[in-house]
Amino acid sequence: MAPPNDPVASKLSVLQGERLEKYFDLSNGKFSVQGVPLLTEVPTNVSFSPFTSICQSSDAPVPLLQRVLKLDHRGGFLGFNKDEPSDRLMNSLGRLSGRDFLSIFRFKTWWSTMWVGNSGSNLQMETQWVLLDVPEIRSYVIVIPIIEGSFRSALHPGSDGHVMICAESGSSQVKASNFDAIAYVHVCDNPYNLMKEAYSAIRIHLNTFRLLEEKTVPNLVDKFGWCTWDAFYLTVEPLGVWHGVNDFAEGGVSPRFVIIDDGWQSINMDGENPNEDTKNLVLGGTQMTARLHRLDECEKFRKYKGGSLLGPDAPSFDPKRPKMLISKAIELEHAEKYRDKAAQSGVTDLSEFERKIVKFKEELNEMFGAEESSVSSPGCGSCSCKAENYGMKAFTRDLRTKFKGLDDIYVWHALCGAWGGVRPGSTHLSTKVIPCKLSPGLDGTMEDLAVVKIIEGGIGLVHPDQAVDFYDSMHSYLAEVGITGVKVDVIHTLEYVSEEYGGRVELAKAYFKGLTSSLAKNFKGNGLISSMQQCNDFFFLGTNQISMGRVGDDFWFQDPNGDPMGVYWLQGVHMIHCAYNSMWMSQFIQPDWDMFQSDHLCAKFHAGSRAICGGPVYVSDSVGGHDFDLIKKLVYPDGTIPKCQHFALPTRDCLFKNPLFDQKTILKIWNFNKFGGVIGAFNCQGAGWDPKEQRIKGHSQCYKPMSGTVHVFDIEWDQKIEAAQMGKSEEYIVYLNQTEELVLMTPKSDAIQVTIQPSSFELFSFVPIEKVDPTIKFAPIGLTNMFNSGGTIQELEYIKSGAEKRVKIKVKGDGDFLAYSSVSPKKSYLNGAEVEFEWLVDSGKLSLNLPWVEETGGTSDVAFVF
């Protein structure tokens, strides 16, 4: 029974007796929308219930409630019942055949991506939602498996076109047989509105998460940053971090945030001295069976002596050293793999393999011992010294003293502490090593070193009753020593260890309650980037406070499985993950497209997408390994970025296509700036998911030039109130960033034809043309030396009264300003002073050069008089 004053209950009572338009119908074995069959051969144990018959109460803001309830007749819930209760139940929802779909499925425990098809049998295991094209009524229908009670659900492929739904608790002690609302369905004539409406309805129903619109995002969202991972892996230490930040500052692009990734924590292995850190870790994978043995920084950070890097005698750093350590560690890793393969093939004499392994280990240990950092104090290495002048607190203070613009310093940690959790008996927390058990639903996922290692070592799980204490103990200390946020990784390990704790839903609720509480207390409510979290458990249970997260797999600079072309095709795969995942994840969190390396072979390809993704831009460059010319196309000198106003999403004509290996589709993503729209066209062809091999692999026959079209209608102008009017313009100027062309376009114009080379792109800025008077047409494009030219325009004013017509523009950044003008201005002014300009009669290109004005935060006042 809903509370007496509940707005949902009030609305329901008003609607009683009213006849609403009936969108969905389940009868005679068919599930239909407005008379169009979606699923046939629906089992008799499947039910459909209107939204209002299931949803009874919510704490959502009243405007959100009103918005959802106004459209509640467009959605409803699917359920099913079984004769026998179980902890894992599979049931058909009916047969899907001959209808195009777009879906998102988990290809690893932690990561999801897109898949298209036209039959229920084409679905992949662990599908998180499926979007159906219903051209008969010019609409779209989405089916979203959700949470009911202690069960979560996912869609799976069935035989003969059937769509299967799997409901599971994650514990043999938690069983059920009847579900009234295990999946939500919704219909809309706009696929982007559909996502918004559907997840808003689920938010009202479940009441366990909040939408992105209800939260604030971290400060770093419109800034440039650096992550230490690819620069150091686990060898990260204060001297390297310091010189890394200094590299950027000297290159003219100071980071506004730094993420100290994995490698800073106090971890060790079972069987090692419980009070000492594991020594000489380098590569990711070697640390995945280790556990936290204390909740503060490891010895190499604890020994940092304040001020040691500020003076004239600060120690130098050899940027080759991390690379040499990584290279040697790779040799060791390969030797161990060769030994294991030999053993698996039946070789009994492994002495030669073991000899090489011992040799490489000795060489690696010698390399570590050859250089003792001179920024540390031996008197603070083995104690718990928390003196002001030592450790992480002293280091973060020194960083901020030297690098004035450094707003945020984040550190990495796994959801359970470290990859292997917390070591029992090492802290005040009640911890137990829990063996890992994978859901059968993950049988269809890709082989993953992280999963292998975590299963090997189990998880040192802090009892869920202590989750609040656990996170607050870690985070309150970090906040005290100058850390402003955390990147929380390895989130979906909880589903492996839920057997004894009421199942995966209940365990997740306890842990996310603790994380939410700590985030609100210690990191201003939003200082967190979620990662390895791309599963519906997290989004439905973990995003009450979390407002930012990764939408793609990790940036891979090369194929870990050895395909030499992977250095190219993996980058397109990354963009596809990010673009399509943003369709649903952006309802909960600010999409984060992850870091990349500016000196990578495909760095420009990545940079083009980051420029218009609508989120932060950050790199993981090695010390000394930068392309500053490229970075400066993304980043202002003050470390901020010309960020788009929305998050990038695939265009409508890409939704039911496969831009990875259909040999015909270019990925197009759209976004807005304050005074225009932008389309990014990317040739991502060349790789993709192979259902038979259950892995992402290269398709070399697809890695070739692709042709397509771009039109102003590709931008979904109605998705942001401020942009809607721009979508009604009679004429646009289109600027092609890579070819530096200007094209005039009207809504009735033919689409722009484009051919994109492999691993290449083009950015199209669409700017409404304003008639300053009947003979003068004008449109500002922005700084053309930046990828997102339109993002550099801060303010725009047209003054049409009086004899002289004026256009006043505030532009941030330095470089080449470009506008379209049908006639030449009489005069131009820069910051109040008259300056020369160039106008080309053939193209209408109007240009002048802008300086960076430090006193105004890099903003220039530009005016043209006609």
Side-chain angles (χ1 to χ4, degrees), residues 666-742:
I666 292 171
L667 171 68
K668 293 186 295 182
I669 54 178
W670 58 267
N671 210 330
F672 308 121
N673 290 307
K674 283 185 180 179
F675 302 103
V678 60
I679 293 283
F682 298 84
N683 186 347
C684 299
Q685 295 276 338
W689 178 253
D690 187 314
K692 292 181 179 178
E693 296 186 27
Q694 294 183 352
R695 69 184 182 98
I696 291 172
K697 70 173 189 178
H699 295 282
S700 58
Q701 73 278 12
C702 304
Y703 195 76
K704 59 186 180 182
M706 292 288 151
S707 296
T709 61
V710 175
H711 199 278
V712 66
F713 287 149
D714 289 334
I715 300 172
E716 301 287 333
W717 299 98
D718 65 345
Q719 291 304 297
K720 193 171 179 65
I721 294 173
E722 297 84 349
Q725 191 60 37
M726 294 190 290
K728 299 175 183 177
S729 182
E730 295 179 359
E731 197 172 15
Y732 300 85
I733 195 71
V734 188
Y735 177 67
L736 283 66
N737 181 274
Q738 294 299 287
T739 61
E740 302 181 356
E741 295 178 67
L742 281 184

Side-chain angles (χ1 to χ4, degrees), residues 415-453:
L415 183 70
C416 294
W419 287 86
V422 177
R423 187 165 178 173
S426 63
T427 69
H428 69 285
L429 300 162
S430 174
T431 308
K432 178 182 176 182
V433 176
I434 307 295
C436 295
K437 179 184 178 183
L438 270 62
S439 164
L442 293 174
D443 290 346
T445 57
M446 190 171 171
E447 184 178 339
D448 187 353
L449 173 65
V451 176
V452 172
K453 288 292 187 179

Side-chain angles (χ1 to χ4, degrees), residues 45 191 222 235 281 342 350 358 371 381 404 414 429 444 450 503 528 539 564 655 657 699 730 750 758 818 824 856:
N45 70 334
D222 58 355
T235 70
L281 294 174
L350 301 174
V358 169
E371 184 176 321
K404 302 297 184 183
L429 300 162
L528 189 150
F539 288 99
L655 293 183
K657 305 290 179 61
H699 295 282
E730 295 179 359
D750 291 339
L818 179 66
S824 174
T856 61

Side-chain angles (χ1 to χ4, degrees), residues 172-201:
S172 61
Q173 303 167 37
V174 180
K175 299 182 179 182
S177 60
N178 186 68
F179 300 96
D180 296 319
I182 198 63
Y184 180 72
V185 294
H186 198 91
V187 61
C188 185
D189 61 0
N190 181 308
Y192 309 97
N193 289 344
L194 176 65
M195 287 290 174
K196 197 178 302 180
E197 292 173 11
Y199 284 102
S200 295

Side-chain angles (χ1 to χ4, degrees), residues 197-399:
E197 292 173 11
Y199 284 102
S200 295
I202 296 169
R203 184 265 184 261
I204 298 296
H205 167 62
L206 290 180
N207 218 28
T208 54
F209 65 92
R210 290 191 297 159
L211 300 171
L212 175 60
E213 67 185 67
E214 301 177 71
K215 298 174 285 194
T216 59
V217 297
N219 293 330
L220 53 74
V221 71
D222 58 355
K223 295 172 183 172
F224 170 67
W226 176 54
C227 177
T228 64
W229 179 243
D230 289 308
F232 306 107
Y233 296 133
L234 302 172
T235 70
V236 63
E237 42 83 31
L239 185 61
V241 175
W242 181 278
H243 281 273
V245 178
N246 192 61
D247 255 14
F248 290 105
E250 292 184 348
V253 281
S254 296
R256 297 292 289 270
F257 67 91
V258 168
I259 301 172
I260 302 175
D261 213 294
D262 197 0
W264 70 273
Q265 292 176 296
S266 299
I267 61 173
N268 57 31
M269 311 285 183
D270 294 347
E272 292 184 334
N273 186 326
N275 299 314
E276 293 183 3
D277 298 332
T278 296
K279 300 292 191 292
N280 302 351
L281 294 174
V282 181
L283 299 179
T286 55
Q287 86 289 28
M288 290 176 180
T289 55
R291 316 188 201 283
L292 287 184
H293 66 89
R294 50 192 289 168
L295 303 181
D296 60 357
E297 67 269 32
C298 64
E299 184 180 27
K300 57 189 175 182
F301 278 88
R302 286 200 308 273
K303 289 171 64 176
Y304 176 80
K305 183 179 179 181
S308 56
L309 289 168
L310 291 172
D313 298 325
S316 61
F317 177 75
D318 181 3
K320 295 179 182 178
R321 185 169 186 266
K323 296 176 181 179
M324 291 169 62
L325 289 169
I326 290 167
S327 178
K328 183 57 65 177
I330 289 172
E331 284 188 275
L332 172 59
E333 182 181 67
H334 287 170
E336 290 173 335
K337 285 181 178 179
Y338 295 147
R339 176 199 60 192
D340 295 343
K341 284 183 179 180
Q344 291 170 4
S345 65
V347 176
T348 54
D349 183 4
L350 301 174
S351 57
E352 184 60 26
F353 295 99
E354 297 292 355
R355 187 190 66 77
K356 284 187 178 180
I357 290 171
V358 169
K359 173 178 175 288
F360 290 144
K361 283 183 177 180
E362 289 175 349
E363 291 172 350
L364 187 61
N365 290 337
E366 287 174 7
M367 291 169 68
F368 270 106
E371 184 176 321
E372 193 66 36
S373 173
S374 56
V375 300
S376 62
S377 166
C380 210
S382 58
C383 67
S384 300
C385 180
K386 298 297 188 291
E388 293 287 316
N389 207 37
Y390 289 96
M392 188 68 85
K393 188 168 189 175
F395 182 55
T396 60
R397 185 179 64 238
D398 286 358
L399 278 173

Side-chain angles (χ1 to χ4, degrees), residues 5-7 58-69 204 214:
N5 295 324
D6 193 306
S58 179
D59 67 357
V62 171
L64 175 57
L65 275 169
Q66 292 173 336
R67 191 177 79 211
V68 169
L69 293 171
I204 298 296
E214 301 177 71

Side-chain angles (χ1 to χ4, degrees), residues 566-633:
V567 69
Y568 299 103
W569 58 251
L570 272 166
Q571 317 319 319
V573 169
H574 182 96
M575 289 179 201
I576 296 296
H577 296 336
C578 293
Y580 287 85
N581 276 328
S582 290
M583 291 187 67
W584 69 300
M585 294 180 189
S586 63
Q587 309 305 321
F588 306 84
I589 56 172
Q590 166 66 48
D592 169 14
W593 282 49
D594 196 22
M595 56 206 174
F596 68 101
Q597 290 177 302
S598 72
D599 63 347
H600 186 270
L601 287 170
C602 293
K604 188 177 179 182
F605 192 44
H606 275 284
S609 68
R610 302 310 191 279
I612 64 168
C613 73
V617 172
Y618 57 116
V619 295
S620 55
D621 292 355
S622 299
V623 179
H626 316 288
D627 182 341
F628 285 118
D629 289 339
L630 181 68
I631 294 172
K632 289 175 182 178
K633 291 179 180 291

